[in-house]
Amino acid sequence: MSRSWVSPGVSYLTRSLLSVVVPAASTVIIVVRLASLKGFRVSPWLVSAVFLGAAPLGFAAYVLADGKLQQRKANRLGARLIPRVRGKWPGNLDKLVSIVLSSENKYIGQPILDEMKVLGPTFNFRFFWEDIIMTMEPQHVKTILATDFDNYVKGDKFREAVDSVLGTGVFNSDGETWKLHRTMTRPFFTHDRISHFDIFDRLAIDFQDLISRFTLDSASEFLFGHCIDSLSVGLPYPYNATESTNAVQGDNAAVAFSNAFSQAQQAINRRISIGQTWRLAEILADSTAQHMKVVDAFLDPVLKDALEKKLTTPELDRTEFLDDQTLVDHLVNLTSGEMICNYGISVGEIFFPDFKVIKDETLNILLAGRDTTASTLTSAIYLLAMHPEFLTRLREEIISKVGTTRRPTYDDIKELKYLRAVLNETLRLFPAVPFNIRESIHDTTWISPEPGKKPLFVPAGTLVSYSVFLMHRRTDLWGPDALEFDPDRWLDERMKKYLIPNPYIFLPFNAGPRICLGQQFAYNEMSFMLIRLLQSFSMITLSSESQEPAMRPPAWWAEKDGRQAFERFRPRNHLTLYAKGGMWVKMEAVDDVQS
């Protein structure tokens, strides 16, 4: 994670001014020189006009030439340009401003959905004349993730936006470095590890805040070998309570870390949304710096302790993986400052300082193991609270297969078909990572989503964003009831009709070489959590009155189409999906019902 005393905005402006001043000055020098050779005296006003006009005229010429070049390249490939968003202001500035300003109140993804209704499932935002392609088309997502995987990378643009938070971890790397990171962590997601439930059974449960703590505590034990006990801190009180625990929470390092990490993700999500010019919004300071100081203060001592412990333990075979090793232990063993060439991967003369590699990778895996699972569990509880008939049916399956007190095993979870259907349906409507991004390397084409039309041209070096959130809700892909929560769609004829013929319409864990390594671990953790919860509680209801009024869905949502018309919370996203203002619920314990 690179940190600099110069803000991103100042650095960007400096480079931009140099790129403007040098060509402009060169133009002036050439004009003056040519005039002097011809015996003309050049007026200072003309010199000023040439200097000031060279940059905008040059940029306008570049935009025009780039458009014509793209059209020629598309024609050469027998393709057509991807439909473009047409704003009223230059560079689609009005569209960008509208998206940024409306993000607080509009339903998640609604601005994109509005454009899709006009332009189709694949279109080009082209903010500030920079191509930003958005797609919700399964064939195109399959191309990005699988069939043409090598042509789509995270890329420098994404890497620069998220480097201050995620560093060089697995989610922010490409090529041999990505392969190395993935191979280092793969042994930790074996069958024995993903079915190891001891770390889950020590924790209590409540909602978005509580589930986030549960997943943070279980992830910390999984990664570091000891639980950070964020659940031991006082819980937040509802809006309508007469007392508060906010002050206590604010002084707790684990809670402060969780909040800071979420805020840092918000910052990098804003960067990605704006595009290359995000640095202009950070003229005074790096928007992630203060949050990452809190993250570092929490994480650094844990990792330094692991490094110090290594110095006092016998040297191990680097390819050996012990059952009692944590992920940090494993990474320490692999990254000792020597050349890394384990597991048959050749990465040349690459040397990694221990601490940076371990820290970046740990933070990346913590994001995957904590935020995504907490997001899905929050959504699952919300949907079950909204649909008590499905909650009752799920509880009946759990009690009949596992009982009211026994801890579930890996084999139990495999047998709970309706539980898996509930989780899949939750991931369909509320995937933990609703939007993702890549960058194309070479000019290429995509098959047209409209039969009979030319393929779509994708230029090299273009940001390509895809949304499984919107793709999962398309009625033409999932049927007329696509916006409804119905776990039975995973058990009845709709599976054969929609998903089996077109498996790329459901991608909550990505696909292809970059498919989530922790997919099965996440299913197991979420399953375990829901089983233990429903063994103890027979009823869950939403408690909107407990939430701050400003955090509740606005009344005008009810007048709109789609799920927002009946949604009872405000789904938002940074890198992952979350409930704005929390997910406040009331739960009725089994003992209370029986008594």
Side-chain angles (χ1 to χ4, degrees):
M1 303 171 193
S2 60
R3 306 284 169 81
S4 171
W5 63 272
V6 179
S7 74
V10 170
S11 176
Y12 180 73
L13 281 178
T14 302
R15 292 197 305 269
S16 299
L17 286 174
L18 286 174
S19 68
V20 169
V21 170
V22 172
S26 301
T27 302
V28 170
I29 292 171
I30 292 171
V31 169
V32 172
R33 181 61 178 163
L34 289 175
S36 65
L37 291 175
K38 297 292 184 179
F40 295 112
R41 181 178 177 278
V42 180
S43 165
W45 291 104
L46 179 60
V47 172
S48 299
V50 172
F51 182 80
L52 295 174
L57 288 173
F59 182 72
Y62 164 77
V63 171
L64 185 63
D66 180 61
K68 291 185 177 296
L69 179 61
Q70 282 198 23
Q71 187 62 66
R72 284 200 299 271
K73 288 181 176 179
N75 292 340
R76 201 158 48 237
L77 293 173
R80 59 189 171 101
L81 297 181
I82 290 176
R84 292 178 177 176
V85 171
R86 302 291 181 184
K88 297 177 181 178
W89 297 356
N92 284 335
L93 178 60
D94 57 318
K95 293 286 187 178
L96 178 59
V97 170
S98 176
I99 289 174
V100 172
L101 294 180
S102 67
S103 62
E104 284 296 317
N105 289 314
K106 277 197 173 182
Y107 193 78
I108 180 174
Q110 192 60 45
I112 298 171
L113 193 60
D114 291 342
E115 299 295 346
M116 187 188 83
K117 291 176 181 176
V118 177
L119 301 172
T122 299
F123 58 86
N124 186 351
F125 268 120
R126 200 163 170 80
F127 290 141
F128 295 117
W129 300 279
E130 176 190 5
D131 291 316
I132 303 177
I133 295 171
M134 170 62 67
T135 186
M136 293 134 274
E137 177 58 42
Q139 297 176 94
H140 300 161
V141 177
K142 180 180 180 180
T143 298
I144 295 167
L145 299 181
T147 56
D148 197 15
F149 172 80
D150 291 335
N151 192 45
Y152 299 93
V153 294
K154 289 290 186 177
D156 292 337
K157 297 173 185 176
F158 177 83
R159 194 153 36 245
E160 289 170 6
V162 306
D163 177 72
S164 60
V165 176
L166 298 181
T168 59
V170 68
F171 297 133
N172 195 27
S173 56
D174 291 309
E176 294 298 308
T177 304
W178 165 72
K179 291 179 182 177
L180 175 65
H181 278 291
R182 194 169 171 91
T183 303
M184 285 195 302
T185 53
R186 186 187 299 276
F188 221 74
F189 294 100
T190 61
H191 173 274
D192 290 339
R193 290 277 168 172
I194 61 180
S195 58
H196 181 50
F197 292 131
D198 288 339
I199 60 177
F200 303 148
D201 203 26
R202 306 173 193 168
L203 309 173
I205 205 165
D206 203 348
F207 261 106
Q208 179 165 274
D209 175 80
L210 196 56
I211 290 176
S212 296
R213 298 189 197 198
F214 163 77
T215 52
L216 179 59
D217 285 358
S218 59
S220 68
E221 185 154 350
F222 185 69
L223 294 171
F224 313 136
H226 70 271
C227 177
I228 63 174
D229 288 327
S230 67
L231 278 166
S232 64
V233 183
L235 300 176
Y237 276 66
Y239 167 76
N240 52 1
T242 57
E243 50 187 320
S244 172
T245 57
N246 291 342
V248 176
Q249 287 186 323
D251 293 335
N252 180 265
V255 174
F257 161 81
S258 178
N259 293 336
F261 194 33
S262 294
Q263 290 298 317
Q265 290 179 63
Q266 288 277 24
I268 61 178
N269 186 60
R270 283 193 298 270
R271 293 174 175 179
I272 296 167
S273 299
I274 293 171
Q276 286 280 72
T277 55
W278 64 264
R279 298 168 184 82
L280 295 178
E282 300 185 23
I283 294 292
L284 298 180
D286 183 326
S287 63
T288 66
Q290 289 299 115
H291 305 306
M292 291 310 294
K293 284 182 181 179
V294 179
V295 170
D296 293 345
F298 175 79
L299 202 55
D300 287 0
V302 176
L303 298 179
K304 287 176 181 176
D305 180 64
L307 288 170
E308 289 172 2
K309 186 172 27 174
K310 177 184 182 300
L311 298 177
T312 62
T313 55
E315 188 72 14
L316 298 172
D317 179 356
R318 298 191 188 283
T319 61
E320 183 181 357
F321 189 82
L322 304 179
D323 288 339
D324 61 348
Q325 273 189 309
T326 67
L327 179 62
V328 169
D329 291 334
H330 180 58
L331 294 177
V332 168
N333 194 39
L334 288 179
T335 58
S336 63
E338 301 174 7
M339 187 176 73
I340 299 172
C341 56
N342 293 298
Y343 301 103
I345 284 186
S346 173
V347 291
E349 297 297 319
I350 296 179
F351 291 81
F352 290 98
D354 289 358
F355 193 75
K356 177 171 172 53
V357 175
I358 295 168
K359 182 176 180 178
D360 288 351
E361 192 63 19
T362 300
L363 203 55
N364 278 246
I365 298 300
L366 192 59
L367 168 64
R370 178 246 180 182
D371 288 35
T372 56
T373 304
S375 170
T376 305
L377 284 169
T378 300
S379 299
I381 295 305
Y382 163 72
L383 291 166
L384 290 172
M386 286 278 285
H387 299 275
E389 70 278 16
F390 296 136
L391 186 151
T392 299
R393 183 171 163 190
L394 175 59
R395 188 169 186 274
E396 287 173 353
E397 181 188 60
I398 290 169
I399 300 305
S400 66
K401 301 281 187 181
V402 185
T404 57
T405 57
R406 183 170 64 83
R407 190 179 72 168
T409 65
Y410 182 70
D411 289 334
D412 288 331
I413 288 174
K414 287 195 300 182
E415 294 300 315
L416 295 172
K417 307 301 182 186
Y418 193 69
L419 173 59
R420 186 59 168 253
V422 167
L423 286 173
N424 280 340
E425 185 68 347
T426 300
L427 287 164
R428 186 185 69 83
L429 284 174
F430 295 105
V433 182
F435 302 93
N436 218 317
I437 196 164
R438 296 288 189 271
E439 184 177 334
S440 59
I441 298 176
H442 308 292
D443 292 339
T444 188
T445 62
W446 288 348
I447 188 171
S448 174
E450 303 170 85
K453 286 194 174 183
K454 289 182 178 180
L456 302 174
F457 174 66
V458 180
T462 298
L463 289 177
V464 176
S465 181
Y466 59 96
S467 173
V468 296
F469 177 86
L470 295 175
M471 184 175 72
H472 286 178
R473 296 174 173 217
R474 283 177 55 179
T475 54
D476 59 325
L477 299 176
W478 288 92
D481 60 350
L483 296 179
E484 299 174 15
F485 177 70
D486 184 2
D488 280 318
R489 79 174 71 248
W490 299 90
L491 303 170
D492 60 26
E493 70 281 350
R494 285 172 291 183
M495 271 282 287
K496 295 178 181 178
K497 184 176 181 180
Y498 297 111
L499 184 62
I500 292 177
N502 194 5
Y504 275 80
I505 65 174
F506 181 63
L507 298 173
F509 294 99
N510 257 338
R514 291 191 89 125
I515 193 170
C516 176
L517 277 176
Q519 174 178 344
Q520 194 56 51
F521 179 82
Y523 270 123
N524 284 346
E525 182 179 23
M526 293 184 294
S527 298
F528 186 95
M529 188 68 163
L530 289 176
I531 291 168
R532 295 306 255 174
L533 179 71
L534 294 183
Q535 283 177 324
S536 301
F537 297 92
S538 60
M539 186 178 300
I540 302 172
T541 56
L542 296 177
S543 180
S544 299
E545 69 277 6
S546 300
Q547 192 172 46
E548 290 185 41
M551 300 298 177
R552 300 169 192 169
W556 58 265
W557 275 17
E559 302 169 4
K560 300 296 181 179
D561 298 328
R563 278 197 63 91
Q564 65 180 318
F566 54 87
E567 210 76 274
R568 298 278 302 279
F569 82 109
R570 297 174 72 165
R572 295 286 303 280
N573 75 290
H574 32 63
L575 294 183
T576 55
L577 190 78
Y578 67 96
K580 184 177 181 180
M583 184 66 68
W584 293 91
V585 299
K586 293 179 180 178
M587 297 186 293
E588 196 165 317
V590 173
D591 291 341
D592 294 339
V593 175
Q594 292 174 346
S595 61

